[in-house]
């Protein structure tokens, strides 16, 4: 759970508890229905946040795998480009998809 979400959930739950304890003393500014709606929204936030955490757990290894493959591709690209530039004059580089200019 991200710290920001965790803090907001904690603050909201504390507010809800306080509002419920002192509903009659608020003076009509907050209704029980509004407190219930806020409580429901906090419960939804907790649920959605759990789903996000689960997805992050699945995503993290995939991102690492992608980064590893990307590093290999970039290395191979740089190596092949360097080889082509060494063997062919600049005018022929575009034939091989190398748009670089010296």
């Amino acid at each position: 759970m991200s710290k920001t979400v965790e803090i907001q959930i904690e603050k909201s739950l504390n507010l809800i508890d306080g509002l419920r304890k002192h509903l009659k003393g608020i003076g009509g500014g907050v209704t029980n229905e509004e407190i219930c709606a806020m409580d429901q929204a906090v419960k939804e936030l907790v649920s959605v946040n759990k789903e996000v955490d689960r997805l992050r757990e699945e995503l993290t290894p995939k991102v690492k795998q992608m980064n590893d493959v990307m590093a290999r591709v970039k290395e191979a690209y740089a190596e092949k480009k360097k080889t082509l530039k060494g063997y062919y004059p600049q005018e022929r580089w575009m034939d091989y998809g190398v748009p670089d200019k010296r």
Side-chain angles (χ1 to χ4, degrees), residues 61-74:
K62 289 293 183 188
V63 169
K64 183 183 179 335
Q65 179 184 8
M66 182 198 65
N67 289 339
D68 293 343
V69 172
M70 176 70 123
R72 288 195 324 258
V73 168
K74 285 173 101 175

Side-chain angles (χ1 to χ4, degrees), residues 4-62:
T4 305
V5 173
E6 183 179 338
I7 290 169
Q8 187 60 55
I9 289 170
E10 184 179 333
K11 289 186 335 185
S12 297
L13 290 175
N14 287 335
L15 178 63
I16 290 167
D17 287 343
L19 289 171
R20 283 193 172 135
K21 288 178 186 175
H22 304 286
L23 182 61
K24 294 192 193 250
I26 295 175
V30 179
T31 65
N32 191 43
E33 290 78 27
E34 291 172 330
I35 295 171
C36 289
M38 184 177 177
D39 188 38
Q40 189 60 37
V42 172
K43 288 177 183 176
E44 185 179 353
L45 178 59
V46 169
S47 174
V48 170
N49 191 62
K50 284 180 184 178
E51 178 70 11
V52 168
D53 287 343
R54 186 188 64 74
L55 291 170
R56 278 189 187 124
E57 287 177 16
E58 291 177 19
L59 183 62
T60 300
K62 289 293 183 188

